[in-house]
Amino acid sequence: MNNACDVLVVGAGPVGLTLANLLGQQGVDVLVLERADELIDYPRAVGIDDEALRAMQTAGLVEEVLPHTIPDQKIYMINGDGTVLSEVNPTTREFGWPRRNGFVQPLVDQVLLAGLDRFPNTSVRFGAEVVDLTEDTDGVVATLANGETVRALYAVAAEGGASPTRKRLGISFEGETRPTDGIVIDVANDPIGTPHAVFGGDPARSYASIALPHGIRRWEFTLFEDETEADVDDDEFVFGLLAPHVPDPSELDIIRRRVYRHHARVAGRFRHGRVLLAGDAAHVMPVVGGQGWNSGIRDAFNLGWKLAAVVKGLSTDGLLDTYETERLGHVTQMVAVSLQMAKEMTDHDPRKAAERDRIAAGRTPEEREAQRRQAFKPQPKFDRGVLVHTPLPASKSLPDRDVPRLAGSIFPQPTATDADGVEMLLDDATGQGWRILTWNNDPTAFLSASTRAALDRFGARLVQVVPKAQLPWARKQAAAGVTVVGDLGGESSLQAWFDARPVGAVVVRPDHVIAAECLSQQLDDVVARVLEAACVTRVA
């Protein structure tokens, strides 16, 4: 038996590779097993969002990913007559990156695979099919098709929607499958040449036309029940689909054509003992929302720091229960939104299409602006897990405002400066991992020696945020171990964030989720409660 690793990842797709990179950064021994002989080379997902790009930034790979993206890609939802029903074009940078980006998935997957070369404690084996996964008191044992066994402390199944692991564990996968398939056609030397994407809700046949990086154009068409995969292999059939879109389909440089099916399903649970499900193994959704790939990256981002903390003995095993607690609600929302969008844009009932068009035509300017800003996309936000809810402080030094509390949501990432005054994104200025940020205060003034010792075990960073004008003075006065960050001011600054809510301190997790927010004087007690929620192990 091969005692191979701390964490075994089944599946070398984007979720498994992202998780392996995040664990590799933290010194966890990881083995990725993939039954295929190489990475899948055909594009599947075509959209990467700001949260996923921030995860790539955290993994130290965003500069390698960006060349394979189209930032701020606009989407037009149109009907069969070409009338624009809605425009999706969010241009803000709440998390530091464009909110919508076209991308070429195989090239980004290659970046993720190459990223593992940075770590001596990570490895990938292709042509290694896991045929069984059993658990004992000390860990899990994977049996490969060649009879070899591999032992690990934990296993993460990230081997796709058909996940053999999920099926062997008897975990349900409730939801629905659309009765008709779709066809994906990718061409090189984009014959359209425009940067945006179009989703056509044509009752005659719904479609999507999407510009991708490097001169690639993606078309997706709905197939009808009497159309089969054999039709997809027929050039004349494919040319007929493309004829309304290009002058001469026979001249297209078709890279590939594939049939796919629309699923909307969520696993009954994301954890079974020492085995966890992530990505499509845990949830699948229609492609129209462009959130399947991104939802899987969120899984890896949520799970990565937790597995590392448990494997390294910083937290007890109970921390892993919060993975499902935190991710299940949001991903269920995302599946529902994607399914609703798919039904609206791919329904071939002329009466339903006409009603959709009527509703779209009657939208107010405010409703159209909400569509443009992508307000329909549910933001990750949870009420239970590794977070602490603090009541609104009672203080005559604060205005009486009804301000939503943000514990369980993502902390913003504006541009700031490091201690030398060099402008950069906030996460780069502060460093990654756990962070305690205080506005204009030295955080050590509010933390006891025992709390600081506990934070040191987690490698937490203490961050003092000051207006840039104060930076030289604050840098000289900073206590040992405190990182000073300069705020640039303006509407998207940290000063504006703190000014809008009754708090002077915030605790941020490694996945950039706000674990707690409080007045500076409450910081020591609140941090202690956050560490308790993170299931920290006691030090003798």
Side-chain angles (χ1 to χ4, degrees):
M1 182 175 290
N2 178 16
N3 293 305
C5 57
D6 297 322
V7 177
L8 173 67
V9 178
V10 184
V15 177
L17 294 175
T18 297
L19 179 61
N21 273 279
L22 294 169
L23 291 171
Q25 279 183 319
Q26 299 178 74
V28 176
D29 291 330
V30 184
L31 173 63
V32 182
L33 297 179
E34 169 57 53
R35 66 179 178 181
D37 293 328
E38 58 186 3
L39 290 181
I40 295 175
D41 68 346
Y42 57 83
R44 288 151 290 160
V46 292
I48 181 172
D49 66 15
D50 52 345
E51 298 168 49
L53 282 177
R54 195 176 186 184
M56 297 299 109
Q57 177 191 0
T58 302
L61 296 172
V62 72
E63 294 302 325
E64 289 77 16
V65 168
L66 289 177
H68 308 306
T69 69
I70 299 176
D72 291 310
Q73 186 171 51
K74 184 182 297 187
I75 293 179
Y76 293 103
M77 305 284 192
I78 68 176
N79 65 11
D81 298 325
T83 301
V84 176
L85 304 175
S86 62
E87 175 187 319
V88 182
N89 185 30
T91 56
T92 54
R93 301 282 192 275
E94 288 86 351
F95 303 138
W97 301 100
R99 291 177 59 191
R100 287 201 56 85
N101 309 268
F103 84 127
V104 180
Q105 180 182 338
L107 295 179
V108 172
D109 288 353
Q110 289 176 21
V111 168
L112 292 169
L113 177 61
L116 297 179
D117 293 338
R118 299 173 295 169
F119 312 116
N121 49 301
T122 65
S123 59
V124 181
R125 287 178 55 185
F126 289 96
E129 181 181 2
V130 176
V131 296
D132 196 18
L133 200 59
T134 58
E135 180 179 349
D136 56 30
T137 56
D138 299 320
V140 293
V141 177
T143 302
L144 278 57
N146 64 1
E148 181 183 353
T149 57
V150 178
R151 172 174 284 280
L153 294 176
Y154 293 92
V156 179
E159 78 269 62
S163 173
T165 301
R166 185 191 65 240
K167 294 175 181 177
R168 281 194 295 268
L169 293 174
I171 298 175
S172 64
F173 205 41
E174 298 298 326
E176 64 179 84
T177 296
R178 300 280 281 170
T180 55
D181 292 335
I183 176 176
V184 167
I185 304 168
D186 292 322
V187 304
N189 305 312
D190 182 0
I192 305 295
T194 55
H196 53 260
V198 171
F199 286 86
D202 188 346
R205 188 189 297 268
S206 58
Y207 65 91
S209 177
I210 306 167
L212 297 179
H214 315 317
I216 299 172
R217 167 73 52 172
R218 154 79 57 91
W219 275 283
E220 299 174 6
F221 296 96
T222 298
L223 296 177
F224 296 111
E225 293 185 13
D226 61 341
E227 295 169 340
T228 67
E229 195 158 349
D231 294 311
V232 174
D233 294 330
D234 178 25
D235 284 347
E236 291 306 313
F237 176 78
V238 170
F239 294 163
L241 295 176
L242 294 168
H245 297 267
V246 296
D248 188 354
S250 66
E251 290 296 316
L252 294 176
D253 185 1
I254 296 178
I255 304 171
R256 60 186 65 81
R257 57 187 92 176
R258 295 185 62 85
V259 173
Y260 68 94
R261 176 151 288 186
H262 295 280
H263 300 282
R265 297 181 180 275
V266 179
R269 59 185 187 274
F270 292 2
R271 182 184 185 188
H272 186 284
R274 290 178 176 265
V275 181
L276 301 111
L277 306 181
D280 285 357
H283 45 77
V284 291
M285 62 194 75
V287 297
V288 176
Q291 283 297 308
W293 191 92
N294 296 286
S295 294
I297 300 303
R298 291 187 194 100
D299 291 347
F301 208 25
N302 185 289
L303 187 55
W305 69 269
K306 296 175 180 179
L307 271 171
V310 172
V311 166
K312 294 161 77 171
L314 300 174
S315 294
T316 66
D317 178 87
L319 177 61
L320 299 179
D321 289 334
T322 67
Y323 165 58
E324 178 183 311
T325 299
E326 296 177 352
R327 286 294 300 134
L328 180 60
H330 179 256
V331 81
T332 301
Q333 285 182 301
M334 198 63 78
V335 169
V337 169
S338 298
L339 182 60
Q340 181 59 36
M341 291 177 66
K343 288 180 177 178
E344 288 182 4
M345 298 306 295
T346 64
D347 198 313
H348 295 118
D349 185 330
R351 293 171 299 178
K352 291 182 180 179
E355 176 63 11
R356 175 203 62 199
D357 296 354
R358 185 192 65 78
I359 293 172
R363 289 194 181 109
T364 65
E366 293 77 14
E367 289 171 333
R368 289 186 177 276
E369 175 60 19
Q371 288 277 343
R372 189 194 68 78
R373 290 187 289 104
Q374 201 172 258
F376 54 83
K377 175 187 172 184
Q379 291 296 309
K381 176 75 165 67
F382 43 85
D383 295 320
R384 297 181 301 116
V386 185
L387 73 163
V388 170
H389 294 293
T390 55
L392 284 170
S395 170
K396 287 192 173 184
S397 294
L398 296 168
D400 185 10
R401 293 178 295 182
D402 185 15
V403 181
R405 308 314 302 274
L406 296 180
S409 61
I410 300 176
F411 193 64
Q413 185 183 206
T415 299
T417 80
D418 66 5
D420 295 322
V422 179
E423 293 188 11
M424 60 187 67
L425 289 173
L426 178 66
D427 298 346
D428 296 329
T430 62
Q432 304 289 346
W434 282 95
R435 286 160 290 171
I436 315 298
L437 291 92
T438 52
W439 173 257
N440 215 25
N441 268 322
D442 179 347
T444 63
F446 304 97
L447 295 172
S448 65
S450 60
T451 300
R452 287 200 64 182
L455 290 171
D456 286 344
R457 288 187 68 221
F458 274 88
R461 298 176 183 271
L462 305 181
V463 182
Q464 179 180 0
V465 184
V466 300
K468 185 180 178 182
Q470 296 181 24
L471 190 60
W473 189 91
R475 178 182 177 185
K476 291 178 182 178
Q477 302 298 319
V482 173
T483 299
V484 180
V485 170
D487 184 72
L488 300 180
E491 292 183 2
S492 61
S493 66
L494 288 176
Q495 180 172 346
W497 190 90
F498 279 104
D499 188 51
R501 37 196 54 86
V503 299
V506 60
V507 182
V508 181
R509 305 181 343 181
D511 54 1
H512 312 306
V513 169
I514 298 170
E517 49 183 353
C518 62
L519 294 179
S520 297
Q521 198 176 57
Q522 299 171 306
L523 186 59
D524 193 68
D525 175 65
V526 168
V527 168
R529 291 167 60 194
V530 168
L531 293 175
E532 183 179 358
C535 302
V536 295
T537 54
R538 297 184 180 276
V539 179

